[in-house]
Amino acid sequence: MPTKRSWAEPYKIKMVEPVRMTTREYRERAIEEAGYNTFLLRSDDVYIDLLTDSGTNAMSDRQWAGMMLGDEAYAGSRSFYHLEAAVQRVYGYKYVIPTHQGRGAEHIISKILIQPGDVMPGNMYFTTTRLHQELAGGRFVDVIIPEAHEPANEHPFKGNVDLQKLEDVLRKNPKHVPYVSMAATVNMAGGQPISIENLRAVRDLTRRYNVLLILDATRVAENAYFNQQRECDRPIAAIVREICSLTDGCTMSAKKDPLANIGGFLAVNDQDIAEKARNMVVIYEGLHTYGGMSGRDMEAVAVGIDESVQDDHMHARVGQVHYLGEKLHGWGIPIVLPVGGHGVFLDARAFLPHVPQEQYPAQSLAAAIYTDSGVRTMERGIVSAGRDPETGEEHKPRLELVRLAIPRRVYTQAHMDVTADSILSVYEGRERIGGLRITYEPKYLRFFQARLTPVPVELKHPSKEEQLAPVRLI
Ligand code: P71
């Protein structure tokens, strides 16, 4: 029984990469120079890198062997046919259009399906997905269940769609909903899964209203692990296949589940959409048999896809994430519950209740964690949510989170322990962490390049000097 076994890794380590430890003084300078934005740190200054699980996977010996066999032909690369066969076998879609990464696929599907004024309902926004929908003239509408916005709510499928909300959107916008997008798992909610039961109900609704259902399959194997544990005890590969069979197509970032460092694809069942996508891919990505990937990249993705749906792999992968999450939860540190598939998400509102959302508490917490230990995390709150393109007002998401994303097959249990210890020490000194204000922000996806600075502390009886002093981040 998979649930009874330890989550110990089903592999051993063949090659290692040194990581660098720095002093607290060094890190204080580094984070200041990075504008208190962990995206702007140099990775050489990071000890344990939990910024993202995207493209940071350790590849297997079989993937590396595949890299050597990559066919770098401009057209008709053998490696493309391997990739196409893997996608058809594991996910079951008919047509495969390769792209350089997930957002390449999002760009193409948005351009093909969305007309200005259209509305796309989905289970919580993802930054790049929503932006491509908006750039195509559409508007994203969140139809996720309300529980997804409550960090402490332990609903087992917080990625589920609120069916009533979805039906309202479909009813009120006849002919203006080109597709419903459904992500498995939901990144911004904390890596939370959808249930197959809910997906089936969404499928019925989309059939009734004659709209397409497009899956964000980036972490679908992690979703299937939760379905296996909580809903139906079947092999992950079979569940992945079923999820995909309930949708009309998918966008995929091969940098996550498929265990590669770069890559992605769009896969659909409709020939007409596939033809349009093949036509579009040559404009933005590359020929339809490489789409921005080298032959060796496609080979690594093809092998990784098969590895990603193996029960042993996923048991260890999510097991490691849960090991960290349960440790923090056990110490009373506020995290999103249940623990998700690809990372542990700190609830910055509860962690720093004295920092108002306008002062970017999650961003400040991420900076404080880096300063404490060199562990790099990512803000997933108001900075990530950006601004409404029409009004210019900041989106104010209810979830104000710091994500500790765990790269696949990269770190050990001891790294998880060091990380947990650092979070605990930051938690113990949380009252000394203040807020930030933005000094520079780019127009699109501001979180990548924004720069911030600490806001002065409000002391009870401050001297003039103290009034102007920046908050010490722990
Ligand atoms: C993650 C990423 C990478 C990322 C993207 C944007 C801001 C910060 C970090 C990428 C995803 C994703 C989902 C559900 C599509 C993409 C885009 N996630 N859907 O979590 O999580 O894929 O990065 O390959 O273009 O760190 P791409």
Side-chain angles (χ1 to χ4, degrees), residues 331 351 368-375 417-428:
W331 290 335
F351 204 114
I369 293 166
Y370 171 75
T371 310
D372 181 72
S373 58
V375 171
D417 290 338
V418 168
T419 300
D421 291 346
S422 169
I423 304 293
L424 179 61
S425 105
V426 173
Y427 189 61
E428 281 166 353

Side-chain angles (χ1 to χ4, degrees), residues 254-273:
K255 304 172 74 171
K256 285 85 168 174
D257 258 4
L259 295 160
N261 299 124
I262 192 72
F265 57 83
L266 171 66
V268 291
N269 288 327
D270 182 276
Q271 194 182 353
D272 182 48
I273 297 175

Side-chain angles (χ1 to χ4, degrees), residues 319-339:
Q320 186 179 43
V321 174
H322 282 230
Y323 172 78
L324 175 62
E326 277 153 25
K327 209 162 184 184
L328 296 176
H329 180 53
W331 290 335
I333 295 171
I335 61 170
V336 173
L337 295 171
V339 178

Side-chain angles (χ1 to χ4, degrees), residues 196 261 414 472:
I196 294 182
N261 299 124
R472 257 183 75 81

Side-chain angles (χ1 to χ4, degrees), residues 153-165:
N153 191 311
E154 296 198 48
H155 190 296
F157 293 105
K158 279 165 102 173
N160 281 354
V161 161
D162 182 325
L163 298 167
Q164 193 55 55
K165 252 192 225 160

Side-chain angles (χ1 to χ4, degrees), residues 39 51-54 101-104 106 126-129 183 185 187 216 218-219 252-256 263 342 378 380 403 447-448:
F39 277 105
L51 181 75
T52 179
D53 64 322
S54 177
Q101 59 184 86
R103 68 198 74 179
E106 293 170 348
F126 185 72
T127 52
T128 55
T129 319
T185 57
N187 190 353
D216 183 339
T218 297
R219 297 183 184 85
M252 169 65 96
S253 168
K255 304 172 74 171
K256 285 85 168 174
H342 65 299
M378 187 192 289
R380 299 276 74 174
R403 183 181 74 174
F447 52 90
F448 282 131

Side-chain angles (χ1 to χ4, degrees), residues 99-109 132 251 265-266 281 284-285:
T99 58
H100 76 287
Q101 59 184 86
R103 68 198 74 179
E106 293 170 348
H107 179 204
I108 289 171
I109 197 73
H132 279 299
T251 54
F265 57 83
L266 171 66
V281 79
Y284 295 108
E285 302 280 318

